[in-house]
Amino acid sequence: MNANELSLRLQVVANYVPKKARLADIGSDHAYLPVALVRNERIQYAIAGEVVQGPYEAARKQVSKNGLEQFIEIRLGDGMEVVFLEDNIEAVTICGMGGVLIRDILERGKRMHRFSGKERLILQPNVGEKQLREWLAAEGYTIIAETILEDHHKIYEVMVAEKLDSTASYTQHELLFGPHLLQERSTVFLKKWQHQLGKLEKVRANLAKSDQQLEDKIIQVEREIQWIKEALDESK
């Protein structure tokens, strides 16, 4: 992949970035996303944050190669510590990490007072979507949009959240499946949860064979299996 041709998952993320926004891309991966957005005149400014020196240097080279130093600033630091309120950031993208890690990055950013509360969060977790939605809900964010897609034989979810005047509340089903994805029940959504159902049924069988006292775990797995079956049945 290069900055002129984003992967499908990053293109979905890019589509959710507001036009002319000031963007913070955390864990920027060669700055592909901000470079593409600036080149297409979608955003006016971006911070590309990297925590490791190697990816930081790679991002710097990518920005320099495209002659975009005046539009994209590469910063070395851990998560949201590269962003300051005076940067007037309007959108934050965090992609290609586990949902728990994204949640922890957002939580540290909140504790460090790096959010104004007006930013749009565009998040692409690889796993752990439920834990990320739980944090967003607890912090007063509304999930305004979601997309589930398949890219190179892997399934990804993208969620978009903002703080609105009215606070949304979500059921446990919505936190697990995604409130918008649960309503749409796309082909990719069904494929993901069919696969997850098979995995959980194997987990249940292994737990039943275990000598350990795992009643709470078995109950949790049974409940999730039932929820998945209901979500799949309702799509028929």
Side-chain angles (χ1 to χ4, degrees):
M1 187 179 71
N2 57 53
N4 298 318
E5 185 179 343
L6 293 176
S7 65
L8 179 57
R9 70 180 178 89
L10 284 184
Q11 187 58 60
V12 169
V13 171
N15 292 342
Y16 283 123
V17 176
K19 291 182 179 179
K20 305 303 179 185
R22 294 174 63 85
L23 172 71
D25 185 36
I26 306 303
S28 197
D29 185 22
H30 293 74
Y32 289 134
L33 180 62
V35 166
L37 288 167
V38 171
R39 285 174 59 91
N40 291 320
E41 299 183 352
R42 281 291 306 274
I43 60 173
Q44 56 176 306
Y45 168 80
I47 295 165
E50 286 290 358
V51 69
V52 178
Q53 189 71 36
Y56 166 79
E57 295 295 343
R60 284 185 59 192
K61 290 178 182 177
Q62 186 70 240
V63 170
S64 176
K65 182 175 71 174
N66 285 274
L68 299 177
E69 294 92 337
Q70 69 185 100
F71 301 104
I72 302 174
E73 189 174 349
I74 313 300
R75 296 182 184 175
L76 184 64
D78 189 0
M80 289 297 297
E81 75 176 21
V82 302
V83 178
F84 300 91
L85 292 180
E86 52 266 35
D87 293 316
N88 296 313
I89 293 301
E90 297 159 301
V92 176
T93 49
I94 310 179
C95 307
M97 306 178 197
V100 172
L101 177 54
I102 294 175
R103 178 199 67 189
D104 292 347
I105 288 171
L106 295 171
E107 176 64 21
R108 287 198 303 271
K110 183 196 76 170
R111 292 180 181 176
M112 297 171 72
H113 306 289
R114 302 304 166 98
F115 292 106
S116 68
K118 298 177 181 179
E119 302 89 352
R120 171 179 287 190
L121 306 182
I122 307 157
L123 312 170
Q124 185 267 295
N126 292 340
V127 293
E129 297 89 355
K130 181 174 186 286
Q131 292 92 328
L132 182 52
R133 289 191 188 96
E134 287 172 339
W135 185 91
L136 291 170
E139 294 300 320
Y141 284 91
T142 297
I143 300 170
I144 63 170
E146 294 176 300
T147 296
I148 187 167
L149 65 138
E150 188 167 9
D151 188 9
H152 289 87
H153 309 294
K154 292 185 179 179
I155 293 177
Y156 301 98
E157 292 184 17
V158 178
M159 59 187 76
V160 185
E162 293 181 359
K163 286 197 171 182
L164 305 179
D165 293 336
S166 58
T167 304
S169 61
Y170 299 105
T171 66
Q172 288 299 309
H173 286 71
E174 289 172 326
L175 292 172
L176 176 62
F177 297 108
H180 299 274
L181 302 180
L182 186 59
Q183 286 186 354
E184 295 164 4
R185 288 185 171 89
S186 69
T187 302
V188 180
F189 174 90
L190 298 177
K191 181 176 180 179
K192 170 182 176 171
W193 289 106
Q194 285 281 11
H195 179 68
Q196 184 65 14
L197 178 62
K199 288 172 61 176
L200 283 175
E201 287 176 335
K202 289 179 181 178
V203 169
R204 179 177 61 183
N206 290 332
L207 288 173
K209 298 175 185 176
S210 175
D211 294 332
Q212 301 178 40
Q213 297 298 315
L214 298 169
E215 289 182 13
D216 290 344
K217 180 65 176 176
I218 292 173
I219 291 171
Q220 177 187 339
V221 171
E222 288 278 10
R223 182 171 59 241
E224 192 164 322
I225 286 173
Q226 185 60 36
W227 287 355
I228 295 171
K229 286 182 175 179
E230 289 171 0
L232 294 173
D233 287 343
E234 288 176 19
S235 67
K236 294 178 180 178

